[in-house]
Amino acid sequence: MRIFIDSANIEEIQEINRMGFLHGVTTNPSLVAKEKRDYHQVIREIAAIVDGPISAEVISLELRDMLQEAEKLADIHPNVVIKIPLTANGLQAISILNQKEIATNATLIFSANQALLAARAGAGYVSPFIGRVDDNGNDGMKLLEDIVSIFDQYMIDTEIIAASIRHPMHVTQAAKIGSHIATIPYKVIMQMIQHPMTDAGIEKFLSDWKQSI
Ligand code: E4P
């Protein structure tokens, strides 16, 4: 499973990118709004840091506006992937962009059927929102498992991004299920790195070392 960061914060992305395991970035309107900066400039800076797919979401809901926005975002950098919310207009946009060879990530996926339709319309990626499914009293991992199994069964090459990850166990479970990618917030990546026994082990090694010199 490849690791993406779910962030629009340049410092977070730079820090995580330096560790060598980062394959891509996803942003969304809420994450970009938090930065209070020019949207296209943020995407440009991210694309200069990370050599991999960078998802940038359209804000419009009308087809024509979605397509205009998508083309402008795609012009920023060849690695930009257009994030499109899963609506009827969104599916049309995915299909048209696919014909123009502009990569898309179908976002706000909450059912296996939505994922299947997005894939068949030509989405390069689908993003089931695991954490938000859990928040709603349902099983986000079951949704991910269903999508993985359907895509496997029909040899669909659309990549699955486990999104709305809330804690490290979500990442482990997504990897075991066979998600192609997990997009993970900075805080959860840091939680994945840390382990109290690693810290205790370092402390013990260092104190033993100091006693011997
Ligand atoms: C994914 O692409 C989304 O940006 C993100 O994972 C949404 O997560 P949230 O439910 O924590 O907002």
Side-chain angles (χ1 to χ4, degrees), residues 40-166:
H40 284 208
Q41 181 57 21
V42 169
I43 299 299
R44 195 169 296 114
E45 286 177 27
I46 296 173
I49 299 165
V50 179
D51 184 18
I54 315 294
S55 285
E57 188 159 342
V58 296
I59 320 294
S60 311
L61 295 174
E62 292 304 324
L63 179 62
R64 210 184 52 180
D65 302 337
M66 270 183 180
L67 293 172
Q68 270 177 6
E69 254 192 82
E71 301 225 2
K72 283 185 192 151
L73 287 166
D75 275 349
I76 296 175
H77 193 279
N79 284 346
V80 171
V81 173
I82 309 302
K83 232 176 164 186
I84 308 267
L86 200 290
T87 59
N89 284 345
L91 285 166
Q92 275 194 71
I94 287 168
S95 168
I96 293 167
L97 293 170
N98 184 42
Q99 285 159 31
K100 294 184 173 184
E101 297 187 354
I102 295 176
T104 54
N105 171 1
T107 190
L108 290 164
I109 297 272
F110 290 94
S111 77
N113 285 337
Q114 289 180 317
L116 179 59
L117 295 176
R120 290 310 191 197
Y125 303 86
V126 291
S127 292
F129 274 39
I130 306 310
R132 293 196 199 184
V133 173
D134 289 353
D135 292 346
N136 206 36
N138 291 304
D139 186 348
M141 281 302 147
K142 176 72 175 66
L143 168 63
L144 186 63
E145 209 174 335
D146 286 347
I147 298 172
V148 168
S149 117
I150 292 168
F151 283 19
D152 278 355
Q153 187 166 348
Y154 295 101
M155 290 180 288
I156 292 172
D157 57 12
T158 299
E159 294 205 278
I160 302 164
I161 306 181
S164 186
I165 295 282
R166 295 285 161 75

Side-chain angles (χ1 to χ4, degrees), residues 13 27 34 36 48 70 84 93 98 110 113 116 120 136 153 158 167 172 181 184 189 195 198 212:
I13 294 167
T27 66
K34 244 179 25 189
K36 299 190 184 341
I84 308 267
N98 184 42
F110 290 94
N113 285 337
L116 179 59
R120 290 310 191 197
N136 206 36
Q153 187 166 348
T158 299
H167 49 72
T172 309
I181 298 157
I184 315 171
I189 295 178
H195 197 288
T198 305
S212 74

Side-chain angles (χ1 to χ4, degrees), residues 205-213:
F205 284 153
L206 291 182
S207 75
D208 289 348
W209 183 258
K210 274 180 201 152
Q211 275 170 25
S212 74
I213 52 175

